[in-house]
Amino acid sequence: MSAPNGSAFEQPASFAFDAESEAEIAHVITRYPPGKQASAVLPAMYIAQRQMKRDTGSAWIPVKAMDAVAARLGMPPIRVYEVATFYFMFNTSPIGKYHLQICTTTPCWLRGSDEITAACRKETGIKGWGETSDDGLFTMTEVECLGACVNAPILQVDDNFYEDMDAGKVTELLAALRRGERPFPGSMAGRQTSAPEGGPNTLTTLHFAPEG
């Protein structure tokens, strides 16, 4: 088989949930009524993908892992395959150590996602979407709205959102990742959550109603 960038990869011959994953899945299943455990397919697949990250350094979900999810939840494997190929959050081929997910939907595009994309390509040498850098560190994917439009443009790295990005901040972030550092996620412009730049200008004081 081939990865999105054309490089060959092999599906593992087997997959079994480790103790950490088993404990997580058992907890997730308790959220659903008896007989409805198939509703846990999304978190169960995510657990399998995280285990692959622990085991191999690459967060992806091979066919054998999908089969394990299907068996654990008592559902046909094809239903798991359908979910895996529908959602961007599941990688069906190996990816780099860091997954760069760039939102190019309208709000991020208006705020400079093209600049973010160009900076990522320049720093990693990646030319197309879905490709992995030659050093195996970065895979770059185009994604739809990440739901943080007020702090656009957004660069998601694995599960972390880096907001208010520009080309310079991309360069700094990727350099830190190459050093093995994980910069704290959130606004890279120093915003307090989604407050205006410079800090909040409303509701800056707390008022409590008197008791009685």
Side-chain angles (χ1 to χ4, degrees), residues 99-103 139 141 143 146 154-159:
H99 192 186
L100 309 180
Q101 299 153 85
I102 304 174
C103 176
T139 296
T141 303
V143 298
L146 294 172
I154 310 300
L155 172 58
Q156 181 180 351
V157 181
D158 300 333
D159 296 330

Side-chain angles (χ1 to χ4, degrees), residues 44-189:
M45 290 175 64
Y46 203 52
I47 289 167
Q49 184 164 273
R50 287 204 305 267
Q51 179 176 322
M52 285 296 293
K53 174 76 169 182
R54 293 196 301 272
D55 292 346
T56 70
S58 178
W60 69 295
I61 182 162
V63 173
K64 289 297 184 181
M66 298 182 212
D67 293 342
V69 169
R72 186 69 174 79
L73 301 181
M75 58 193 297
I78 185 61
R79 291 181 59 193
V80 181
Y81 304 161
E82 291 169 344
V83 173
T85 55
F86 181 82
Y87 289 100
F88 282 120
M89 61 194 267
F90 300 119
N91 307 305
T92 55
S93 60
I95 65 170
K97 181 177 180 180
Y98 302 109
H99 192 186
L100 309 180
Q101 299 153 85
I102 304 174
C103 176
T104 59
T105 310
T106 305
C108 278
W109 175 71
L110 290 171
R111 293 273 292 171
S113 65
D114 286 349
E115 178 185 350
I116 306 310
T117 301
C120 285
R121 294 192 194 285
K122 177 182 178 182
E123 295 300 322
T124 63
I126 294 173
K127 294 180 173 59
W129 297 117
E131 293 184 5
T132 298
S133 58
D134 291 340
D135 58 12
L137 282 178
F138 302 103
T139 296
M140 195 166 78
T141 303
E142 181 180 31
V143 298
E144 295 297 326
C145 182
L146 294 172
C149 309
V150 70
N151 289 355
I154 310 300
L155 172 58
Q156 181 180 351
V157 181
D158 300 333
D159 296 330
N160 295 321
F161 281 18
Y162 293 92
E163 308 165 5
D164 293 314
M165 296 295 287
D166 59 30
K169 294 183 178 69
V170 168
T171 299
E172 293 172 4
L173 173 61
L174 298 191
L177 294 175
R178 287 185 186 280
R179 295 192 298 269
E181 301 170 5
R182 282 277 189 172
F184 193 78
S187 171
M188 298 295 102

